[in-house]
């Protein structure tokens, strides 16, 4: 710990002797400054902020006692050591209110100064350690209470709760709500990346907002965080209008504090805290639908329980979709607004992975990132991502018909019947003109480009799967594995087996 000492003495010999012959570092003094009078010492103290003032009493312009009073006004915790002669004992009675730590008799030798300073430094360290421990105890007590209140909140939103045990554990020490009092559960979702995996301090700050602003007292609400979902509040109030205003103020504060939009959903009111789980789960379901289907913040107060609309199993019966069919599926889900969001996200992600596996090298969402997207954002990002994966960068200056042809090749390279004529018909060009235009743009023939795409896919599958060569050849539109072996060796200058060993 740092300890700063300010030495003040108008006698140059005494002052310089103490500065150079006392081993201050061994006494725990980390910083020391010296002054020749009280006025100079006050100027130094303004920035230096001493922990110990070691000063002579008899000095011109300002006595040591006057200096000590001024220092104490600015730094009440500063410890005072006086250097005094025998004749000054009576004079020192006026300093009794200063609670001086020690009086060092003149002449002030390095030994007696060292002894007094060492004792004072030890006292300072004890005070600081006690202060640190007191602060930790206070903080830990507060944290312990917060942990218990978090536990209460999580129990209140559970469907199955042992209320007898709840009363034994938490009533009335931590929970004082009457059994028959109207309550609401509110879910809050904030547009943070990877919400709610932001620092706990931010989470705590948001949850304490109502308490700090005096909107609700700490006995009127409980709050918690559900992983991968939202912050939630459980509120005891009989005024839905007041609840709406409080939630809107919280949204406005989050916008000012974090620059983020938020969506808040209050479940339907329930007559008792024992029914809060019903209000909470309705709010959760409505929140999930709002966050998935919409791309704008909202404040919603439900008047009745959430109405479920599960997606039919036939919706995901196709295991392998083209990008176009995938886009149509997103349209269907958006129009129907099915409510089992976790199930829909999981199934959409499986189909998304299939599409992206056909385009090795393209960046792929993790499941968590995928689930964090609203459907409008997902549709927008998917269109961009699939388009970029189907059409590699660096071809932006190609003519539109050639870009369309390349995209078609990336979509259907796995069809062994893919031909130049099929592609030319797709882009509505004559075969001869299409071939000329393609080579002008790409610097290679259409057939060479198809082979390149298929070999790139074969390399990806050799490196990332355990498929046999004949299985790979079928997937990339080359039904003859021996022919694939020949093409691969010609292109990559090694056999597929060698490539797989070295990959």
């Amino acid at each position: 710990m740092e300890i700063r000492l300010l030495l003040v003495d108008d006698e140059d010999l005494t002052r310089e002797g103490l500065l150079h012959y006392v081993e201050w570092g061994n006494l725990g003094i980390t910083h020391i400054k010296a002054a020749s009078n009280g006025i100079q010492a006050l100027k130094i103290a303004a920035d230096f902020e001493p922990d110990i003032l070691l000063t002579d009493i008899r000095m011109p312009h300002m006595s040591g006692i006057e200096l000590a009073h001024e220092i104490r006004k600015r730094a009440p915790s500063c410890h005072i050591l006086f250097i005094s002669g025998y004749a000054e004992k009576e004079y020192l009675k006026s300093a009794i209110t200063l609670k001086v730590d020690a009086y060092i008799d003149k002449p002030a030798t390095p030994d007696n100064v060292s002894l007094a300073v060492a004792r004072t430094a030890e006292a300072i360290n004890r005070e600081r350690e006690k202060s640190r421990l007191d602060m930790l105890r206070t903080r830990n007590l507060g944290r312990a209470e917060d942990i218990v209140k978090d536990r209460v909140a999580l129990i209140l939103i559970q469907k199955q709760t042992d209320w007898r045990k709840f009363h034994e554990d938490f009533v009335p020490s931590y929970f004082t709500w009457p059994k028959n009092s109207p309550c609401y559960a509110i879910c809050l979702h904030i547009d943070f990346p990877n919400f709610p995996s932001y620092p706990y301090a931010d989470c705590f700050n948001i949850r304490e907002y109502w308490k700090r602003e005096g909107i609700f007292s700490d006995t009127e609400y409980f709050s918690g965080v559900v992983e991968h979902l939202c912050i939630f509040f459980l509120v005891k109030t009989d005024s839905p209008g007041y609840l709406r205003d409080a939630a809107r103020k919280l949204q406005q504060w989050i916008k000012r504090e974090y620059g983020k939009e938020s969506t808040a959903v209050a479940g339907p009111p329930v007559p008792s805290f024992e029914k809060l789980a019903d209000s909470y789960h309705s709010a959760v379901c409505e929140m999930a639908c709002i966050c998935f289907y919409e791309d704008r913040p909202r404040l919603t107060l439900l008047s009745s329980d959430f109405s479920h609309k599960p997606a039919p199993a036939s919706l995901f019966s196709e295991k392998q979709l083209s990008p176009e069919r995938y886009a149509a599926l997103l349209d269907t889900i958006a129009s129907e607004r099915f409510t089992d969001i976790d199930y829909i996200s999981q199934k959409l992600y499986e189909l998304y992975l299939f599409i992206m596996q056909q385009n090795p090298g393209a960046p792929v969402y993790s499941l968590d990132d995928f689930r964090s997207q609203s459907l409008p954002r997902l549709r927008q990002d998917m269109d961009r991502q699939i388009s970029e994966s189907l059409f590699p960068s660096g071809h932006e200056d190609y003519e539109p018909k050639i870009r369309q042809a390349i995209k078609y090749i990336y979509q259907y390279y796995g069809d062994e019947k893919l031909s130049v004529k099929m592609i030319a018909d797709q882009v509505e060009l004559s075969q001869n003109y299409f071939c000329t235009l393609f080579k002008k743009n790409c610097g290679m023939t259409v057939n060479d480009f198809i082979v390149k795409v298929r070999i790139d896919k074969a390399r990806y599958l050799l490196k990332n799967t355990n498929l046999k060569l004949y299985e790979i050849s079928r997937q990339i539109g080359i039904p003859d594995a021996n022919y694939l072996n020949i093409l691969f060796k010609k292109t990559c200058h090694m056999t597929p087996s060698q490539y797989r060993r070295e990959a």
Side-chain angles (χ1 to χ4, degrees), residues 175-200:
F175 189 82
T176 58
W177 292 6
K179 186 174 182 179
N180 297 317
S181 57
C183 311
Y184 292 81
I186 301 178
C187 290
L188 180 73
H189 176 87
I190 304 171
D191 190 19
F192 283 142
N194 300 318
F195 177 84
S197 303
Y198 51 92
Y200 178 80

PDB file of all heavy atoms in Angstrom, residues 175-200:
ATOM      1  N   PHE A 175     -39.370 -12.202   1.541  1.00  0.00           N
ATOM      2  CA  PHE A 175     -40.573 -12.077   0.725  1.00  0.00           C
ATOM      3  C   PHE A 175     -41.754 -11.743   1.634  1.00  0.00           C
ATOM      4  O   PHE A 175     -42.046 -12.494   2.573  1.00  0.00           O
ATOM      5  CB  PHE A 175     -40.845 -13.379  -0.023  1.00  0.00           C
ATOM      6  CG  PHE A 175     -41.936 -13.286  -1.045  1.00  0.00           C
ATOM      7  CD1 PHE A 175     -41.685 -12.771  -2.306  1.00  0.00           C
ATOM      8  CD2 PHE A 175     -43.228 -13.695  -0.747  1.00  0.00           C
ATOM      9  CE1 PHE A 175     -42.691 -12.674  -3.253  1.00  0.00           C
ATOM     10  CE2 PHE A 175     -44.250 -13.593  -1.677  1.00  0.00           C
ATOM     11  CZ  PHE A 175     -43.973 -13.086  -2.938  1.00  0.00           C
ATOM     12  N   THR A 176     -42.434 -10.612   1.332  1.00  0.00           N
ATOM     13  CA  THR A 176     -43.495 -10.139   2.235  1.00  0.00           C
ATOM     14  C   THR A 176     -44.816  -9.892   1.520  1.00  0.00           C
ATOM     15  O   THR A 176     -45.714  -9.291   2.092  1.00  0.00           O
ATOM     16  CB  THR A 176     -43.046  -8.836   2.921  1.00  0.00           C
ATOM     17  OG1 THR A 176     -42.750  -7.851   1.915  1.00  0.00           O
ATOM     18  CG2 THR A 176     -41.832  -9.051   3.803  1.00  0.00           C
ATOM     19  N   TRP A 177     -44.935 -10.341   0.269  1.00  0.00           N
ATOM     20  CA  TRP A 177     -46.177 -10.049  -0.451  1.00  0.00           C
ATOM     21  C   TRP A 177     -47.355 -10.807   0.162  1.00  0.00           C
ATOM     22  O   TRP A 177     -47.240 -12.007   0.459  1.00  0.00           O
ATOM     23  CB  TRP A 177     -46.050 -10.462  -1.913  1.00  0.00           C
ATOM     24  CG  TRP A 177     -45.092  -9.649  -2.709  1.00  0.00           C
ATOM     25  CD1 TRP A 177     -44.251  -8.678  -2.249  1.00  0.00           C
ATOM     26  CD2 TRP A 177     -44.860  -9.747  -4.112  1.00  0.00           C
ATOM     27  NE1 TRP A 177     -43.503  -8.160  -3.267  1.00  0.00           N
ATOM     28  CE2 TRP A 177     -43.862  -8.805  -4.437  1.00  0.00           C
ATOM     29  CE3 TRP A 177     -45.386 -10.525  -5.122  1.00  0.00           C
ATOM     30  CZ2 TRP A 177     -43.394  -8.625  -5.731  1.00  0.00           C
ATOM     31  CZ3 TRP A 177     -44.919 -10.362  -6.417  1.00  0.00           C
ATOM     32  CH2 TRP A 177     -43.940  -9.409  -6.722  1.00  0.00           C
ATOM     33  N   PRO A 178     -48.524 -10.155   0.310  1.00  0.00           N
ATOM     34  CA  PRO A 178     -49.722 -10.888   0.724  1.00  0.00           C
ATOM     35  C   PRO A 178     -50.102 -11.917  -0.340  1.00  0.00           C
ATOM     36  O   PRO A 178     -49.844 -11.714  -1.531  1.00  0.00           O
ATOM     37  CB  PRO A 178     -50.788  -9.783   0.817  1.00  0.00           C
ATOM     38  CG  PRO A 178     -50.028  -8.508   0.890  1.00  0.00           C
ATOM     39  CD  PRO A 178     -48.751  -8.714   0.146  1.00  0.00           C
ATOM     40  N   LYS A 179     -50.705 -12.996   0.090  1.00  0.00           N
ATOM     41  CA  LYS A 179     -51.041 -14.058  -0.862  1.00  0.00           C
ATOM     42  C   LYS A 179     -52.030 -13.590  -1.917  1.00  0.00           C
ATOM     43  O   LYS A 179     -51.916 -13.936  -3.091  1.00  0.00           O
ATOM     44  CB  LYS A 179     -51.610 -15.267  -0.115  1.00  0.00           C
ATOM     45  CG  LYS A 179     -51.847 -16.461  -1.020  1.00  0.00           C
ATOM     46  CD  LYS A 179     -52.257 -17.678  -0.228  1.00  0.00           C
ATOM     47  CE  LYS A 179     -52.446 -18.881  -1.148  1.00  0.00           C
ATOM     48  NZ  LYS A 179     -52.824 -20.097  -0.404  1.00  0.00           N
ATOM     49  N   ASN A 180     -53.012 -12.793  -1.523  1.00  0.00           N
ATOM     50  CA  ASN A 180     -54.027 -12.331  -2.464  1.00  0.00           C
ATOM     51  C   ASN A 180     -53.775 -10.878  -2.842  1.00  0.00           C
ATOM     52  O   ASN A 180     -54.412  -9.964  -2.314  1.00  0.00           O
ATOM     53  CB  ASN A 180     -55.427 -12.495  -1.860  1.00  0.00           C
ATOM     54  CG  ASN A 180     -55.752 -13.952  -1.594  1.00  0.00           C
ATOM     55  OD1 ASN A 180     -55.464 -14.813  -2.427  1.00  0.00           O
ATOM     56  ND2 ASN A 180     -56.335 -14.230  -0.442  1.00  0.00           N
ATOM     57  N   SER A 181     -52.816 -10.681  -3.739  1.00  0.00           N
ATOM     58  CA  SER A 181     -52.549  -9.342  -4.263  1.00  0.00           C
ATOM     59  C   SER A 181     -52.195  -9.479  -5.741  1.00  0.00           C
ATOM     60  O   SER A 181     -51.459 -10.392  -6.128  1.00  0.00           O
ATOM     61  CB  SER A 181     -51.395  -8.666  -3.500  1.00  0.00           C
ATOM     62  OG  SER A 181     -50.236  -9.458  -3.558  1.00  0.00           O
ATOM     63  N   PRO A 182     -52.734  -8.613  -6.611  1.00  0.00           N
ATOM     64  CA  PRO A 182     -52.504  -8.745  -8.052  1.00  0.00           C
ATOM     65  C   PRO A 182     -51.032  -8.573  -8.411  1.00  0.00           C
ATOM     66  O   PRO A 182     -50.345  -7.707  -7.859  1.00  0.00           O
ATOM     67  CB  PRO A 182     -53.371  -7.630  -8.652  1.00  0.00           C
ATOM     68  CG  PRO A 182     -53.609  -6.664  -7.537  1.00  0.00           C
ATOM     69  CD  PRO A 182     -53.588  -7.464  -6.278  1.00  0.00           C
ATOM     70  N   CYS A 183     -50.575  -9.407  -9.338  1.00  0.00           N
ATOM     71  CA  CYS A 183     -49.164  -9.417  -9.733  1.00  0.00           C
ATOM     72  C   CYS A 183     -49.053  -9.532 -11.253  1.00  0.00           C
ATOM     73  O   CYS A 183     -49.967 -10.016 -11.928  1.00  0.00           O
ATOM     74  CB  CYS A 183     -48.421 -10.593  -9.108  1.00  0.00           C
ATOM     75  SG  CYS A 183     -48.670 -10.822  -7.354  1.00  0.00           S
ATOM     76  N   TYR A 184     -47.903  -9.118 -11.752  1.00  0.00           N
ATOM     77  CA  TYR A 184     -47.588  -9.237 -13.170  1.00  0.00           C
ATOM     78  C   TYR A 184     -46.157  -9.769 -13.317  1.00  0.00           C
ATOM     79  O   TYR A 184     -45.295  -9.493 -12.478  1.00  0.00           O
ATOM     80  CB  TYR A 184     -47.634  -7.886 -13.877  1.00  0.00           C
ATOM     81  CG  TYR A 184     -48.992  -7.247 -13.997  1.00  0.00           C
ATOM     82  CD1 TYR A 184     -49.536  -6.539 -12.940  1.00  0.00           C
ATOM     83  CD2 TYR A 184     -49.714  -7.327 -15.184  1.00  0.00           C
ATOM     84  CE1 TYR A 184     -50.774  -5.924 -13.053  1.00  0.00           C
ATOM     85  CE2 TYR A 184     -50.949  -6.712 -15.307  1.00  0.00           C
ATOM     86  CZ  TYR A 184     -51.474  -6.013 -14.244  1.00  0.00           C
ATOM     87  OH  TYR A 184     -52.685  -5.416 -14.364  1.00  0.00           O
ATOM     88  N   ALA A 185     -45.931 -10.468 -14.409  1.00  0.00           N
ATOM     89  CA  ALA A 185     -44.568 -10.819 -14.818  1.00  0.00           C
ATOM     90  C   ALA A 185     -44.261 -10.052 -16.100  1.00  0.00           C
ATOM     91  O   ALA A 185     -45.097  -9.996 -17.012  1.00  0.00           O
ATOM     92  CB  ALA A 185     -44.446 -12.315 -15.058  1.00  0.00           C
ATOM     93  N   ILE A 186     -43.104  -9.438 -16.150  1.00  0.00           N
ATOM     94  CA  ILE A 186     -42.685  -8.670 -17.330  1.00  0.00           C
ATOM     95  C   ILE A 186     -41.380  -9.251 -17.853  1.00  0.00           C
ATOM     96  O   ILE A 186     -40.435  -9.481 -17.085  1.00  0.00           O
ATOM     97  CB  ILE A 186     -42.466  -7.186 -16.996  1.00  0.00           C
ATOM     98  CG1 ILE A 186     -43.744  -6.570 -16.453  1.00  0.00           C
ATOM     99  CG2 ILE A 186     -42.009  -6.414 -18.231  1.00  0.00           C
ATOM    100  CD1 ILE A 186     -43.592  -5.121 -16.069  1.00  0.00           C
ATOM    101  N   CYS A 187     -41.325  -9.482 -19.160  1.00  0.00           N
ATOM    102  CA  CYS A 187     -40.084  -9.926 -19.804  1.00  0.00           C
ATOM    103  C   CYS A 187     -39.509  -8.769 -20.605  1.00  0.00           C
ATOM    104  O   CYS A 187     -40.247  -8.034 -21.267  1.00  0.00           O
ATOM    105  CB  CYS A 187     -40.348 -11.118 -20.722  1.00  0.00           C
ATOM    106  SG  CYS A 187     -40.762 -12.610 -19.813  1.00  0.00           S
ATOM    107  N   LEU A 188     -38.187  -8.625 -20.556  1.00  0.00           N
ATOM    108  CA  LEU A 188     -37.512  -7.527 -21.241  1.00  0.00           C
ATOM    109  C   LEU A 188     -36.399  -8.096 -22.107  1.00  0.00           C
ATOM    110  O   LEU A 188     -35.527  -8.816 -21.609  1.00  0.00           O
ATOM    111  CB  LEU A 188     -36.924  -6.553 -20.209  1.00  0.00           C
ATOM    112  CG  LEU A 188     -36.177  -5.342 -20.767  1.00  0.00           C
ATOM    113  CD1 LEU A 188     -37.177  -4.342 -21.350  1.00  0.00           C
ATOM    114  CD2 LEU A 188     -35.359  -4.673 -19.673  1.00  0.00           C
ATOM    115  N   HIS A 189     -36.457  -7.801 -23.390  1.00  0.00           N
ATOM    116  CA  HIS A 189     -35.396  -8.227 -24.311  1.00  0.00           C
ATOM    117  C   HIS A 189     -34.711  -6.984 -24.863  1.00  0.00           C
ATOM    118  O   HIS A 189     -35.372  -6.047 -25.325  1.00  0.00           O
ATOM    119  CB  HIS A 189     -35.960  -9.049 -25.468  1.00  0.00           C
ATOM    120  CG  HIS A 189     -34.925  -9.425 -26.478  1.00  0.00           C
ATOM    121  ND1 HIS A 189     -34.157 -10.564 -26.360  1.00  0.00           N
ATOM    122  CD2 HIS A 189     -34.519  -8.817 -27.614  1.00  0.00           C
ATOM    123  CE1 HIS A 189     -33.332 -10.635 -27.375  1.00  0.00           C
ATOM    124  NE2 HIS A 189     -33.523  -9.589 -28.154  1.00  0.00           N
ATOM    125  N   ILE A 190     -33.383  -6.974 -24.823  1.00  0.00           N
ATOM    126  CA  ILE A 190     -32.601  -5.826 -25.276  1.00  0.00           C
ATOM    127  C   ILE A 190     -31.781  -6.233 -26.477  1.00  0.00           C
ATOM    128  O   ILE A 190     -31.224  -7.335 -26.525  1.00  0.00           O
ATOM    129  CB  ILE A 190     -31.688  -5.312 -24.149  1.00  0.00           C
ATOM    130  CG1 ILE A 190     -32.537  -4.975 -22.923  1.00  0.00           C
ATOM    131  CG2 ILE A 190     -30.902  -4.086 -24.603  1.00  0.00           C
ATOM    132  CD1 ILE A 190     -31.729  -4.657 -21.698  1.00  0.00           C
ATOM    133  N   ASP A 191     -31.695  -5.344 -27.432  1.00  0.00           N
ATOM    134  CA  ASP A 191     -31.017  -5.667 -28.685  1.00  0.00           C
ATOM    135  C   ASP A 191     -29.506  -5.550 -28.524  1.00  0.00           C
ATOM    136  O   ASP A 191     -28.843  -4.796 -29.211  1.00  0.00           O
ATOM    137  CB  ASP A 191     -31.493  -4.735 -29.798  1.00  0.00           C
ATOM    138  CG  ASP A 191     -30.994  -5.183 -31.168  1.00  0.00           C
ATOM    139  OD1 ASP A 191     -30.616  -6.354 -31.284  1.00  0.00           O
ATOM    140  OD2 ASP A 191     -30.988  -4.358 -32.100  1.00  0.00           O
ATOM    141  N   PHE A 192     -28.936  -6.322 -27.553  1.00  0.00           N
ATOM    142  CA  PHE A 192     -27.492  -6.447 -27.401  1.00  0.00           C
ATOM    143  C   PHE A 192     -27.019  -7.642 -28.216  1.00  0.00           C
ATOM    144  O   PHE A 192     -27.748  -8.630 -28.335  1.00  0.00           O
ATOM    145  CB  PHE A 192     -27.095  -6.705 -25.944  1.00  0.00           C
ATOM    146  CG  PHE A 192     -27.150  -5.487 -25.064  1.00  0.00           C
ATOM    147  CD1 PHE A 192     -27.594  -5.580 -23.767  1.00  0.00           C
ATOM    148  CD2 PHE A 192     -26.735  -4.260 -25.535  1.00  0.00           C
ATOM    149  CE1 PHE A 192     -27.635  -4.475 -22.948  1.00  0.00           C
ATOM    150  CE2 PHE A 192     -26.772  -3.145 -24.724  1.00  0.00           C
ATOM    151  CZ  PHE A 192     -27.228  -3.251 -23.432  1.00  0.00           C
ATOM    152  N   PRO A 193     -25.776  -7.604 -28.744  1.00  0.00           N
ATOM    153  CA  PRO A 193     -25.232  -8.820 -29.339  1.00  0.00           C
ATOM    154  C   PRO A 193     -25.163  -9.923 -28.282  1.00  0.00           C
ATOM    155  O   PRO A 193     -24.752  -9.690 -27.155  1.00  0.00           O
ATOM    156  CB  PRO A 193     -23.825  -8.405 -29.785  1.00  0.00           C
ATOM    157  CG  PRO A 193     -23.877  -6.923 -29.879  1.00  0.00           C
ATOM    158  CD  PRO A 193     -24.861  -6.470 -28.838  1.00  0.00           C
ATOM    159  N   ASN A 194     -25.581 -11.119 -28.654  1.00  0.00           N
ATOM    160  CA  ASN A 194     -25.523 -12.279 -27.752  1.00  0.00           C
ATOM    161  C   ASN A 194     -26.249 -12.026 -26.443  1.00  0.00           C
ATOM    162  O   ASN A 194     -25.849 -12.492 -25.391  1.00  0.00           O
ATOM    163  CB  ASN A 194     -24.071 -12.679 -27.458  1.00  0.00           C
ATOM    164  CG  ASN A 194     -23.337 -13.042 -28.713  1.00  0.00           C
ATOM    165  OD1 ASN A 194     -23.864 -13.711 -29.589  1.00  0.00           O
ATOM    166  ND2 ASN A 194     -22.103 -12.587 -28.830  1.00  0.00           N
ATOM    167  N   PHE A 195     -27.332 -11.238 -26.498  1.00  0.00           N
ATOM    168  CA  PHE A 195     -28.078 -10.941 -25.270  1.00  0.00           C
ATOM    169  C   PHE A 195     -28.502 -12.233 -24.595  1.00  0.00           C
ATOM    170  O   PHE A 195     -28.938 -13.159 -25.248  1.00  0.00           O
ATOM    171  CB  PHE A 195     -29.303 -10.113 -25.634  1.00  0.00           C
ATOM    172  CG  PHE A 195     -30.181  -9.809 -24.450  1.00  0.00           C
ATOM    173  CD1 PHE A 195     -29.869  -8.736 -23.645  1.00  0.00           C
ATOM    174  CD2 PHE A 195     -31.255 -10.603 -24.132  1.00  0.00           C
ATOM    175  CE1 PHE A 195     -30.657  -8.448 -22.544  1.00  0.00           C
ATOM    176  CE2 PHE A 195     -32.041 -10.324 -23.035  1.00  0.00           C
ATOM    177  CZ  PHE A 195     -31.735  -9.238 -22.243  1.00  0.00           C
ATOM    178  N   PRO A 196     -28.447 -12.406 -23.241  1.00  0.00           N
ATOM    179  CA  PRO A 196     -27.988 -11.376 -22.321  1.00  0.00           C
ATOM    180  C   PRO A 196     -26.579 -11.600 -21.826  1.00  0.00           C
ATOM    181  O   PRO A 196     -26.293 -11.426 -20.664  1.00  0.00           O
ATOM    182  CB  PRO A 196     -28.995 -11.519 -21.201  1.00  0.00           C
ATOM    183  CG  PRO A 196     -29.239 -12.996 -21.139  1.00  0.00           C
ATOM    184  CD  PRO A 196     -29.086 -13.517 -22.543  1.00  0.00           C
ATOM    185  N   SER A 197     -25.661 -12.001 -22.698  1.00  0.00           N
ATOM    186  CA  SER A 197     -24.304 -12.298 -22.239  1.00  0.00           C
ATOM    187  C   SER A 197     -23.451 -11.046 -22.156  1.00  0.00           C
ATOM    188  O   SER A 197     -22.304 -11.036 -22.585  1.00  0.00           O
ATOM    189  CB  SER A 197     -23.654 -13.311 -23.190  1.00  0.00           C
ATOM    190  OG  SER A 197     -24.414 -14.464 -23.271  1.00  0.00           O
ATOM    191  N   TYR A 198     -23.983  -9.960 -21.661  1.00  0.00           N
ATOM    192  CA  TYR A 198     -23.200  -8.762 -21.452  1.00  0.00           C
ATOM    193  C   TYR A 198     -22.830  -8.703 -19.970  1.00  0.00           C
ATOM    194  O   TYR A 198     -23.315  -9.492 -19.174  1.00  0.00           O
ATOM    195  CB  TYR A 198     -23.971  -7.520 -21.904  1.00  0.00           C
ATOM    196  CG  TYR A 198     -25.354  -7.403 -21.340  1.00  0.00           C
ATOM    197  CD1 TYR A 198     -25.595  -6.710 -20.173  1.00  0.00           C
ATOM    198  CD2 TYR A 198     -26.431  -8.007 -21.986  1.00  0.00           C
ATOM    199  CE1 TYR A 198     -26.867  -6.610 -19.656  1.00  0.00           C
ATOM    200  CE2 TYR A 198     -27.695  -7.917 -21.471  1.00  0.00           C
ATOM    201  CZ  TYR A 198     -27.908  -7.222 -20.313  1.00  0.00           C
ATOM    202  OH  TYR A 198     -29.161  -7.134 -19.798  1.00  0.00           O
ATOM    203  N   PRO A 199     -21.950  -7.782 -19.577  1.00  0.00           N
ATOM    204  CA  PRO A 199     -21.434  -7.804 -18.212  1.00  0.00           C
ATOM    205  C   PRO A 199     -22.531  -7.782 -17.157  1.00  0.00           C
ATOM    206  O   PRO A 199     -23.537  -7.092 -17.298  1.00  0.00           O
ATOM    207  CB  PRO A 199     -20.567  -6.535 -18.149  1.00  0.00           C
ATOM    208  CG  PRO A 199     -20.157  -6.305 -19.557  1.00  0.00           C
ATOM    209  CD  PRO A 199     -21.309  -6.757 -20.404  1.00  0.00           C
ATOM    210  N   TYR A 200     -22.308  -8.520 -16.061  1.00  0.00           N
ATOM    211  CA  TYR A 200     -23.309  -8.607 -14.997  1.00  0.00           C
ATOM    212  C   TYR A 200     -23.627  -7.227 -14.429  1.00  0.00           C
ATOM    213  O   TYR A 200     -24.756  -6.958 -14.048  1.00  0.00           O
ATOM    214  CB  TYR A 200     -22.810  -9.525 -13.888  1.00  0.00           C
ATOM    215  CG  TYR A 200     -23.797  -9.623 -12.733  1.00  0.00           C
ATOM    216  CD1 TYR A 200     -24.912 -10.457 -12.819  1.00  0.00           C
ATOM    217  CD2 TYR A 200     -23.618  -8.866 -11.580  1.00  0.00           C
ATOM    218  CE1 TYR A 200     -25.822 -10.528 -11.780  1.00  0.00           C
ATOM    219  CE2 TYR A 200     -24.533  -8.934 -10.526  1.00  0.00           C
ATOM    220  CZ  TYR A 200     -25.626  -9.773 -10.638  1.00  0.00           C
ATOM    221  OH  TYR A 200     -26.529  -9.839  -9.614  1.00  0.00           O
TER     222      TYR A 200
END
